[in-house]
Amino acid sequence: MGSDTSRNVTIAMIARLAGVSVPTVSRVINGRTDVAPQTRERVEELLTRHGYRRRLASRRPSSALIDLVFNDLDSPWAVEIIRGVEDVAHSNGAGTVVSAIHQRTSSAKQWLDNMRTRSTEGVIFVTSMVAPPLQAELRRLNLPVVIVDPAGVAPQEAPTIGTTNWAGSLEANQYLLSLGHRRIGFIAGPPQLMCSRARLDGYRAALDGVGVAVDDALIRPGNFYHESGYAAGVQMLALPDPPTAIFASSDQMALGVYEAVRKRGLRVPDDVSVVGFDDLPEVRWCSPPLTTVRQPLAEMGMLAARTVLRLARGEKIESPRVELATELVVRDSAGPPSGAR
């Protein structure tokens, strides 16, 4: 191949021919060892065949990066996921770029424009709906994508990381039922999220398992944040026949219920038992410490980072759909109904 033609050969072209990401080709060119042997051999063969010549002008120090994309960053659970991703990224010599796209097309476009300018190994989306145009562009760039807690049906080629939301909700509500509660309120998360729907289904299954009819008046909408938990708690406690226990499908909403109980002149758990979902670090320090379903948030971030780095190296992964186990953490916020004491 002549020199004129060789100058037209780009890393992106080689990546497309090899069916790998641009960062993977870059690692092969730079002699890095974190590429699967078969992938390295395929890329090197293509580089030789097409006469790729590394451009001296492009030699500048750069570090590998993982893009971590949230809808919003104003939640403590986001910090836990970031911590997990950064632990793995740091141990692999990579950095982390954290972004929030707020489900707006303009934000997603700006993020994509910024991402193209850096040496990104892959992208982790958290509770995000990856729109088809965005999927298409990421495929064109040959960038691996992993989705944590997908908002809807994930792209077929994208691995997903989640937790056993249904089983966690089932266990929490079975625990409340075992204490003697039969009027159990439920505060849902955003309906578009699969994890929210699974937690509602777990609640219904627990009640059905002991023959307790579901009372729709005891199911209230929420958005995982304190304010919605408080509003739902106020509404349920004002019912003629209020719940003796409330299961909030996030810890933040559970803490909102605490405030609704206090404003009503009642106490947790003497008058109303409360159970949450997440096991955020602060809930062990609230009064009383919150009984909750532990969602392994940091571990989810760690697994997502390991997966995206493996894909970037051209390695195969064992399973495209992974659910980590939840665990009920019993503390002091739930007890028998007041009339049963």
Side-chain angles (χ1 to χ4, degrees):
M1 183 176 286
S3 59
D4 288 342
T5 306
S6 69
R7 281 198 295 269
N8 294 327
V9 179
T10 65
I11 291 178
M13 181 189 302
I14 298 297
R16 189 162 55 251
L17 292 170
V20 299
S21 68
V22 169
T24 296
V25 176
S26 180
R27 281 196 296 273
V28 173
I29 292 171
N30 289 312
R32 284 174 49 179
T33 59
D34 53 346
V35 179
Q38 288 182 332
T39 302
R40 176 182 295 280
E41 184 177 335
R42 184 165 71 252
V43 170
E44 287 177 340
E45 190 274 329
L46 285 166
L47 290 168
T48 301
R49 185 198 310 171
H50 291 277
Y52 177 83
R53 294 181 181 178
R54 186 175 176 183
R55 294 154 182 76
L56 293 176
S58 69
R59 290 182 184 172
R60 63 178 186 268
S62 63
S63 61
L65 298 170
I66 296 173
D67 264 73
L68 179 56
V69 183
F70 293 84
N71 283 335
D72 291 291
L73 286 168
D74 55 350
S75 172
W77 63 261
V79 175
E80 293 300 299
I81 291 176
I82 292 169
R83 183 165 62 84
V85 171
E86 288 199 325
D87 280 352
V88 171
H90 179 74
S91 64
N92 283 270
T96 307
V97 178
V98 180
S99 306
I101 58 176
H102 308 291
Q103 288 288 37
R104 292 196 297 264
T105 302
S106 58
S107 297
K109 182 180 183 303
Q110 183 179 12
W111 166 76
L112 197 57
D113 290 343
N114 292 337
M115 191 265 296
R116 289 193 189 98
T117 67
R118 50 185 178 257
S119 180
T120 294
E121 301 286 304
V123 184
I124 299 171
F125 289 100
V126 183
T127 60
S128 297
M129 182 72 76
V130 185
L134 187 55
Q135 294 177 34
E137 181 61 16
L138 292 169
R139 277 195 295 269
R140 193 186 71 78
L141 294 171
N142 283 311
L143 281 173
V145 171
V146 175
I147 303 177
V148 176
D149 260 352
V153 177
Q156 189 172 4
E157 71 277 9
T160 62
I161 312 294
T163 54
T164 52
N165 290 288
W166 183 87
S169 176
L170 178 75
E171 185 179 14
N173 287 285
Q174 285 177 333
Y175 173 67
L176 288 171
L177 290 162
S178 74
L179 293 174
H181 295 280
R182 293 299 181 267
R183 296 281 294 169
I184 302 174
F186 178 85
I187 308 177
Q192 72 272 19
L193 297 183
M194 294 178 71
C195 62
S196 299
R197 299 197 292 270
R199 292 172 200 178
L200 176 57
D201 289 344
Y203 163 79
R204 292 181 182 275
L207 297 185
D208 184 64
V210 296
V212 174
V214 174
D215 183 348
D216 288 340
L218 296 181
I219 299 176
R220 300 285 166 160
N223 60 11
F224 288 157
Y225 294 104
H226 296 91
E227 294 81 3
S228 66
Y230 172 75
V234 167
Q235 294 164 3
M236 283 193 280
L237 295 174
L239 291 171
D241 187 10
T244 60
I246 296 176
F247 173 63
S249 49
S250 79
D251 283 350
Q252 286 183 283
M253 293 196 301
L255 296 181
V257 173
Y258 270 37
E259 181 62 10
V261 171
R262 188 189 70 81
K263 286 283 185 69
R264 192 79 181 175
L266 304 174
R267 292 183 297 175
V268 177
D270 300 31
D271 302 298
V272 184
S273 290
V274 180
V275 175
F277 199 111
D278 283 331
D279 196 27
L280 298 175
E282 64 263 31
V283 300
R284 71 192 66 180
W285 302 108
C286 61
S287 182
L290 180 67
T291 292
T292 188
V293 177
R294 180 179 183 270
Q295 183 176 204
L297 296 166
E299 290 89 336
M300 291 165 68
M302 293 172 72
L303 180 57
R306 290 193 195 103
T307 302
V308 85
L309 288 172
R310 287 183 63 185
L311 291 171
R313 291 193 291 263
E315 299 175 13
K316 298 293 185 183
I317 58 172
E318 290 74 20
S319 174
R321 306 286 180 264
V322 177
E323 284 192 343
L324 301 182
T326 54
E327 176 189 3
L328 181 66
V329 180
V330 176
R331 297 193 180 99
D332 301 330
S333 65
S338 57
R341 291 188 177 92

